[in-house]
Amino acid sequence: MSNNKIIIFSFSKLAIQIAHILHQKNYEIIIIEEDVELINEAQELGYEVKQISLMDDKNIISLNMDKNIKAFFCVSDDKNNNLFVTLSVRNLNPNLKIISVSFATQDNKTMLLAGANKIINPYEIGALRIFRLLNKPYILDILDNILFSESNIEVSEITIQKNSILDGIYLKETNMIEENNLILLGIQDKEIQDKFIFYSSGINHKIDCGDTIVLLGKNKDLQNFTLLINKNN
Amino acid sequence: MNSFFINFAYFLESSTKYYNTKHFFYELLEDTNSKKRKYFDFFMIFLVLSTVAILIYEVNHELLPWLDTYETIAIVIFIIEWLSRLWVSSHSHKHIIHDYEKSQLLNQEYILGISLKKIIKEKLSFIFSPMSIIDLLAILPYYRPLRILRILMLFRLFKILRYTNSIKQFRHVFLEKKFEFLTLAIMFFMAIAFGSTIIFIYEGAGINPNIDNYFDAIYWSVITISTVGFGDISPVTMQGRVATLFLVVGGMGVIAFSTSIVTTALSEKLLILKEEKVIGEANSLKDFIIICGFGRMGKVLANEFEKTNQNFIIIDQDDDTFKHSDNQNLLAVKGDATNSILLESVGINSGRATTIIAITDNDAVNLSIILTARSLNPNIRIIARANDTEAKAKLILAGASEVIMSNEITALVASEYIGQPVAFEAIDDILLNSEGAIMDEIEIVGKSNFIDYHLKDINLDKFNLTLIGVIQAKNRKEFIFNPKKDSYKIKENDIFIVIGNKESIGQLKIDLLSSKPKRVLNV
């Protein structure tokens, strides 16, 4: 993997957690921070730190992000800094994946406008987690197992290659997913990038190459299935 | 004689019937949180107002006979009410038992008189309490020879005070501001004394035809100082006019001062009144959750609870957080959630509070809330938010049932996005309870017609639902992922985990109960 570098703007408490998890997944972490104390903390944890200000476009260019970087996290504690940095980075790197933090639902729109691909809101995620803990404890348990633990059930996305046996087939025509003991959550059409179509929405979508299907299943079944759909043709 | 009283006291003590009856009357008359009392109060207010209305009608009309009967009935009710209050005001038989047991313990002879003295003292203190006196004065004029005292009937209006909590609070306002009111009263009387004396000296000796005696002078100065100024008595001498000027200016001061005292006292009291109302409402909720902290996270959570009609009460120290809230109808108490008295008053021990959530952005405060809550109620479920990784273990140690670290979860979600952006979008939609699809639990209840049928007999495709798995009733921990549709047998209390839109899930829940499988089960 050549582009497994992740840049995180500001070493906030959220950044510490993100860096920790991605570091475990073998990503190379680069922290951008100006505060000396936080820089020391990040260095002690073994991360590469750059003491530069992203308020200056020259510094952003020097990072040469568009080619080498997997994703850019904009997670400082200051809402306005996040907006400013997101906008400047997007302006200079049109194809970069930018994930920004938002602290209030009403700020999501401005952040998307500034150019973030994805918005994460720790308050919302935390509150909904408490809500589920109280109202839907089983679901919380299952989701946790699927998403965050080393259980054998995983969620996985597969992009349909050219010549795959699924290419050109309608979702409801094929039994392959069921036969392999997998559950189809939905599909993302190549043409309509930002919209995910849930299988449960009832739409019988035609699969084309470049579409991405999202499956839920046991580790082994998922691997078999991936081999199966790409090999046969 | 002694033994009769003692036996009777023990009989009352052991009688549940007596206890229940007394408790019923207590709830009806005195218990501020009781619903029965509310209805009773409304009834009594109506009774009071109607008898006063009869009094007014009587002034220039002939009294109709049925109105007379009505008044008699009302008076009888008033008397019964007063006697009941006298009864529930104290537990007399307890004194006898207590004193008797004490004398037994000390090997002394039991003297009934001592107990009776205590009982009478207690009852007398009730009889001479202000509210009881008002009650009595309201009843008194009905006695014919005392008809001259008819004006005392108006005391019945004061009786209304008894039935309205808020008005009672205003009485407290005056008691609390005693010092200020006393100062004001002294100032007022001094001014009146000076004013009336001056005018009486200069104009009383026949100079002003309107001032015959000292009472006229007092009347004039009160009318002047209150800035009412009828003008029926006005000064005619230079000295009198000067005195008037001073009185008018002083009068404005007195009015301004008294207004400010009353308004500040009332506004202070209003906050307390509002809070008491919230606590009162919380006490009438069945199952509710206490949210401590109404910050950004607390708001999202409250919003979710509201969507699902979950009862909750919010405690937050900061007044501003409520001001910026979109919803003004939330049950919210301003105060310190680490204060055990406050937690108790919102009902942490009532058995109706199921969960308490410490969700402030300060880990130390959350820890303190957990400890306070745990000390008050060892069984309540406590969910806490931890902002630092190190704090998590401490919060558990303090007694939290579950600890949520929002940063950690957010980081996990974000890391998922790096690896599989499309899968993440799907999960994110589900996680955020968005419009697209939700994940829900459907429990198979005993009445369902589908029990012992196979999964394929529920036409999940018809509902456009995706079944992720089943949590089996036998062993709740066991989750069967993607069970085979034509071999899995549905059992009572199975929980289906499905993904789909809200309406389909709702429809399936109804169908599982009401409709029947198409196939007949082969036994």
Side-chain angles (χ1 to χ4, degrees):
Chain A
M1 269 226 261
S2 63
N3 75 341
N4 69 340
K5 279 188 191 164
I6 304 255
I7 295 184
I8 302 176
F9 165 62
S10 180
F11 202 55
S12 61
K13 279 190 176 135
L14 178 58
I16 295 173
Q17 297 291 336
I18 293 172
H20 176 71
I21 288 163
L22 290 176
H23 191 62
Q24 282 178 334
K25 292 190 173 177
N26 290 323
Y27 285 101
E28 200 181 307
I29 311 289
I30 300 163
I31 309 277
I32 313 280
E33 178 59 65
E34 286 184 273
D35 185 284
V36 184
E37 245 175 70
L38 290 173
I39 290 172
N40 288 339
E41 204 182 320
Q43 276 167 341
E44 268 171 41
L45 289 165
Y47 305 128
E48 186 187 338
V49 184
K50 292 210 161 121
Q51 189 178 5
I52 49 171
S53 164
L54 290 191
M55 299 291 149
D56 194 339
D57 276 2
K58 263 183 278 168
N59 289 331
I60 298 177
I61 295 166
S62 76
L63 287 167
N64 195 12
M65 286 197 267
D66 228 3
K67 285 172 196 151
N68 306 320
I69 305 298
K70 175 95 178 165
F72 178 83
F73 279 94
C74 194
V75 291
S76 93
D77 286 331
D78 186 309
K79 171 186 143 190
N80 297 328
N81 282 356
N82 283 337
L83 270 175
F84 189 88
V85 171
T86 304
L87 187 86
S88 335
V89 171
R90 169 58 71 225
N91 192 27
L92 295 166
N93 307 279
N95 300 317
L96 183 68
K97 193 182 275 181
I98 302 175
I99 299 136
S100 299
V101 71
S102 144
F103 300 115
T105 324
Q106 64 265 27
D107 295 339
N108 291 2
K109 249 189 196 159
T110 24
M111 200 51 99
L112 284 174
L113 210 62
N117 295 79
K118 190 68 212 167
I119 284 146
I120 48 176
N121 180 342
Y123 298 112
E124 204 171 35
I125 294 173
L128 281 167
R129 193 174 170 80
I130 294 179
F131 175 71
R132 277 210 186 82
L133 196 61
L134 288 165
N135 286 33
K136 308 249 159 88
Y138 297 121
I139 287 183
L140 187 74
D141 214 38
I142 290 160
L143 277 175
D144 276 3
N145 265 320
I146 294 172
L147 291 175
F148 309 131
S149 74
E150 300 291 315
S151 74
N152 60 353
I153 299 165
E154 275 183 7
V155 58
S156 178
E157 59 179 75
I158 298 169
T159 306
I160 306 297
Q161 311 286 329
K162 211 170 183 182
N163 300 328
S164 158
I165 46 169
L166 284 178
D167 190 0
I169 283 176
Y170 279 93
L171 275 178
K172 294 199 172 167
E173 273 172 13
T174 171
N175 283 331
M176 275 189 70
I177 293 167
E178 212 168 306
E179 277 164 10
N180 280 282
N181 201 17
L182 297 173
I183 291 170
L184 177 68
L185 278 187
I187 185 164
Q188 188 176 51
D189 194 288
K190 195 187 165 191
E191 271 82 51
I192 345 167
Q193 271 286 338
D194 54 337
K195 197 156 163 37
F196 183 81
I197 305 159
F198 276 96
Y199 181 60
S200 58
S201 67
I203 296 165
N204 192 7
H205 191 85
K206 189 177 156 208
I207 309 169
D208 291 311
C209 82
D211 288 355
T212 307
I213 55 172
V214 176
L215 297 165
L216 209 58
K218 296 208 170 102
N219 219 327
K220 212 174 59 196
D221 296 328
L222 282 167
Q223 282 169 7
N224 285 343
F225 183 75
T226 318
L227 288 175
L228 202 69
I229 57 164
N230 289 325
K231 208 165 60 179
N232 272 23
N233 236 336
Chain B
M1 186 68 179
N2 267 9
S3 70
F4 169 74
F5 274 103
I6 293 161
N7 285 338
F8 188 61
Y10 273 105
F11 165 72
L12 290 181
E13 179 72 8
S14 60
S15 162
T16 47
K17 217 174 184 179
Y18 172 78
Y19 175 81
N20 286 341
T21 321
K22 193 161 185 174
H23 188 73
F24 171 80
F25 276 99
Y26 175 79
E27 268 190 299
L28 199 65
L29 299 169
E30 306 286 353
D31 189 357
T32 24
N33 293 324
S34 147
K35 260 220 171 99
K36 280 181 217 144
R37 190 189 138 158
K38 217 183 215 168
Y39 296 128
F40 178 75
D41 287 353
F42 276 125
F43 172 68
M44 291 307 280
I45 289 173
F46 171 75
L47 216 55
V48 168
L49 290 179
S50 55
T51 53
V52 171
I54 291 171
L55 172 74
I56 296 165
Y57 178 81
E58 239 185 325
V59 173
N60 52 6
H61 292 80
E62 189 120 334
L63 192 61
L64 301 166
W66 71 268
L67 284 177
D68 213 27
T69 325
Y70 181 84
E71 209 187 340
T72 314
I73 295 169
I75 290 293
V76 169
I77 294 172
F78 288 158
I79 292 171
I80 294 173
E81 183 212 358
W82 184 77
L83 289 175
S84 309
R85 280 186 201 277
L86 182 67
W87 178 39
V88 298
S89 68
S90 63
H91 298 282
S92 304
H93 69 276
K94 289 211 159 127
H95 283 297
I96 298 179
I97 293 173
H98 180 253
D99 289 347
Y100 175 70
E101 282 177 356
K102 203 167 121 191
S103 67
Q104 289 283 303
L105 196 72
L106 300 171
N107 245 334
Q108 284 168 344
E109 204 194 333
Y110 171 64
I111 303 156
L112 184 65
I114 295 175
S115 307
L116 286 181
K117 224 187 227 166
K118 280 185 197 163
I119 292 166
I120 291 168
K121 206 175 146 197
E122 260 184 0
K123 294 294 180 198
L124 280 179
S125 88
F126 168 78
I127 291 170
F128 290 110
S129 70
M131 277 301 176
S132 155
I133 290 173
I134 287 175
D135 280 349
L136 286 174
L137 287 177
I139 297 168
L140 223 53
Y142 186 71
Y143 181 54
R144 297 280 157 186
L146 288 179
R147 277 261 148 164
I148 326 148
L149 297 174
R150 291 194 66 81
I151 199 66
L152 287 180
M153 287 262 274
L154 279 178
F155 269 95
R156 286 185 195 162
L157 283 177
F158 283 108
K159 251 172 94 67
I160 292 177
L161 288 181
R162 218 194 231 303
Y163 309 117
T164 43
N165 255 331
S166 338
I167 295 176
K168 236 186 224 173
Q169 290 288 348
F170 288 123
R171 200 171 60 107
H172 286 289
V173 171
F174 290 97
L175 289 178
E176 270 171 34
K177 295 276 165 183
K178 222 161 136 187
F179 172 74
E180 285 89 339
F181 279 114
L182 198 68
T183 320
L184 191 69
I186 291 170
M187 270 173 60
F188 185 74
F189 282 116
M190 294 269 280
I192 297 289
F194 273 114
S196 47
T197 310
I198 289 170
I199 203 88
F200 192 65
I201 290 172
Y202 285 105
E203 302 191 358
I207 296 165
N208 190 331
N210 288 327
I211 300 176
D212 285 337
N213 49 37
Y214 194 66
F215 177 76
D216 285 339
I218 292 174
Y219 169 78
W220 168 81
S221 51
V222 171
I223 294 300
T224 309
I225 202 167
S226 62
T227 70
V228 172
F230 285 130
D232 53 348
I233 303 174
S234 46
V236 288
T237 61
M238 182 66 184
Q239 292 88 337
R241 285 190 177 137
V242 172
T244 314
L245 287 179
F246 279 106
L247 264 189
V248 169
V249 174
M252 284 201 275
V254 168
I255 286 173
F257 187 35
S258 55
T259 316
S260 81
I261 292 172
V262 176
T263 38
T264 48
L266 282 186
S267 63
E268 276 168 26
K269 208 73 199 173
L270 271 180
L271 275 179
I272 300 170
L273 271 179
K274 207 177 149 199
E275 214 142 272
E276 274 177 9
K277 193 177 152 264
V278 170
I279 289 170
E281 268 181 60
N283 281 326
S284 65
L285 294 177
K286 258 193 182 151
D287 286 338
F288 66 97
I289 290 168
I290 304 169
I291 303 179
C292 307
F294 197 50
R296 287 182 279 209
M297 204 159 152
K299 280 188 182 124
V300 180
L301 187 62
N303 202 9
E304 285 303 315
F305 282 153
E306 235 177 326
K307 274 194 231 159
T308 50
N309 292 327
Q310 164 74 53
N311 294 324
F312 60 93
I313 176 165
I314 299 161
I315 303 176
D316 196 295
Q317 257 183 322
D318 199 355
D319 227 1
D320 289 344
T321 56
F322 298 125
K323 277 184 202 148
H324 295 303
S325 159
D326 305 331
N327 191 339
Q328 297 295 327
N329 298 324
L330 295 170
L331 277 185
V333 181
K334 182 179 172 270
D336 181 4
T338 63
N339 182 338
S340 57
I341 297 167
L342 179 65
L343 282 184
E344 258 180 339
S345 70
V346 298
I348 190 172
N349 259 333
S350 61
R352 288 171 292 108
T354 53
T355 311
I356 176 164
I357 302 170
I359 200 173
T360 74
D361 54 7
N362 184 329
D363 287 339
V365 173
N366 287 344
L367 184 95
S368 177
I369 294 170
I370 296 169
L371 282 172
T372 316
R374 199 39 96 212
S375 68
L376 291 170
N377 186 340
N379 301 319
I380 197 165
R381 185 173 188 189
I382 303 175
I383 298 175
R385 161 183 172 192
N387 301 291
D388 271 320
T389 326
E390 295 85 43
K392 192 174 177 179
K394 281 180 202 150
L395 295 183
I396 298 249
L397 193 68
S401 322
E402 284 106 356
V403 175
I404 301 287
M405 277 201 59
S406 62
N407 281 340
E408 192 184 67
I409 297 298
T410 310
L412 278 168
V413 171
S415 76
E416 216 42 45
Y417 181 65
I418 300 296
Q420 309 192 83
V422 180
F424 170 87
E425 285 290 348
I427 294 294
D428 194 40
D429 263 13
I430 293 169
L431 277 178
L432 292 181
N433 265 347
S434 70
E435 294 298 305
I438 60 165
M439 201 169 183
D440 207 353
E441 310 166 349
I442 299 178
E443 187 166 352
I444 306 294
V445 288
K447 280 179 280 179
S448 173
N449 297 316
F450 286 89
I451 288 171
D452 289 332
Y453 277 83
H454 288 145
L455 263 183
K456 65 172 182 211
D457 292 313
I458 305 172
N459 193 356
L460 283 166
D461 280 345
K462 187 185 99 187
F463 294 100
N464 283 316
L465 291 175
T466 309
L467 178 75
I468 305 293
V470 178
I471 297 171
Q472 279 193 304
K474 281 173 276 175
N475 183 2
R476 286 248 148 153
K477 293 262 181 264
E478 201 184 353
F479 173 62
I480 300 173
F481 173 75
N482 199 11
K484 288 261 179 277
K485 299 237 171 12
D486 36 4
S487 62
Y488 185 84
K489 257 191 184 175
I490 300 165
K491 293 272 174 250
E492 189 181 340
N493 295 337
D494 273 359
I495 294 170
F496 286 14
I497 306 294
V498 294
I499 291 178
N501 73 36
K502 226 182 241 168
E503 287 74 27
S504 326
I505 292 175
Q507 191 56 46
L508 176 63
K509 280 181 185 170
I510 296 167
D511 262 36
L512 280 174
L513 266 181
S514 58
S515 71
K516 282 190 176 129
K518 288 197 179 118
R519 179 171 75 98
V520 180
L521 201 63
N522 307 314
V523 188

